[in-house]
Every structure is written in C-alpha cells, then in structure tokens.
Amino acid sequence: MSQETKTAYSLEELKEFEEIILNKLAIAKEELTNLKESLSKKNDSGTDFTASTSKLLEDGADTLERESLNQLAARQQKFIINLENALIRIKNGTYGVCIDTGKLIAKERLKAVPHTMHSIEAKLAKK
C-alpha cells in the first residue's frame, strides 16, 4: 500500500516511532540536566580576589555565557515538550498525520524529526 493511500501508520510502525522518540527524550532530558547543572555552577563565582577591571570583564563574559546556557536550556525544554506531545499523539492515534494537509507524513521525515506535525510539503509552503 503506498503512503498516499494510507491514512495512519500501523501499530508496528508506531512502536518503532515510539522507541525513536523515547531514545531522543532520554538524551534530551540528560542534556537539559547537564545544562541546568552548568547554570547552577555559573552562579558560584569561584574567585573573588581578582582585580576590579578584570572582574568586570569576567562578569560580562559570565553573564553572556549564562544567557546562552539559559537559551539552550529553554530550547531543550521545548524539544522535550514536543517529544512528549508526539508520544501523546501516538497514544491517541493522530501521530504521523500532517495537521495542515491531513496526509501521512513521510516515514523518513518522522525518523529525522519525530515530533513534527507537518509534512515537508506543508512546511515548505509556509516559507
């Protein structure tokens, strides 16, 4: 049966996608934990006995790095939420169906971006 005539993925295919998502979710959660640990260590200033000019430059660099880590953590949190939502779609039977076209999303796309809700055609049309 071709992908165009299918309206949903089989239980076996959904199980395969679920495994991919669960693996990505475990990695993403571990990375988020590492980012949070890095952020909490950044709050620990370490050396307080530096020259004032040098201290200002270090503070600026620390602030920039902390801001960057915060942005990475926020993106990672959003990725985790998207993966968890994909698991919900698997459970309720809507996983793999494009929300714009109603057609089945290509299996290759779902393997690369398992949390997507858009077919490549719909994604390109939005640009």
Side-chain angles (χ1 to χ4, degrees), residues 91-102:
K91 299 280 186 257
N92 70 21
T94 60
Y95 183 80
V97 178
C98 178
I99 61 171
D100 294 323
T101 65

Side-chain angles (χ1 to χ4, degrees), residues 55-116:
K55 180 82 170 123
L56 285 174
L57 292 174
E58 286 177 17
D59 286 348
D62 285 348
T63 300
L64 186 62
E65 187 175 353
R66 192 175 303 119
E67 188 175 309
S68 177
L69 287 172
N70 270 323
Q71 288 174 348
L72 285 172
R75 286 186 69 195
Q76 198 67 6
Q77 185 65 45
K78 184 179 177 185
F79 181 56
I80 289 168
I81 289 167
N82 287 336
L83 288 171
E84 289 171 342
N85 287 339
L87 289 173
I88 292 168
R89 290 193 302 279
I90 286 175
K91 299 280 186 257
N92 70 21
T94 60
Y95 183 80
V97 178
C98 178
I99 61 171
D100 294 323
T101 65
K103 294 180 182 176
L104 218 51
I105 300 169
K107 198 171 189 176
E108 297 77 28
R109 176 157 169 76
L110 288 171
K111 285 182 178 180
V113 188
H115 59 282
T116 190

Side-chain angles (χ1 to χ4, degrees), residues 14-42:
L14 290 175
K15 190 73 177 155
E16 181 184 341
F17 290 127
E18 185 176 25
E19 286 177 24
I20 291 169
I21 292 168
L22 288 172
N23 287 335
K24 286 188 181 264
L25 192 57
I27 292 167
K29 285 182 176 181
E30 185 177 329
E31 288 175 2
L32 181 60
T33 299
N34 292 340
L35 285 169
K36 286 181 177 179
E37 286 174 4
S38 292
L39 279 167
S40 66
K41 289 177 187 169
K42 279 286 155 209

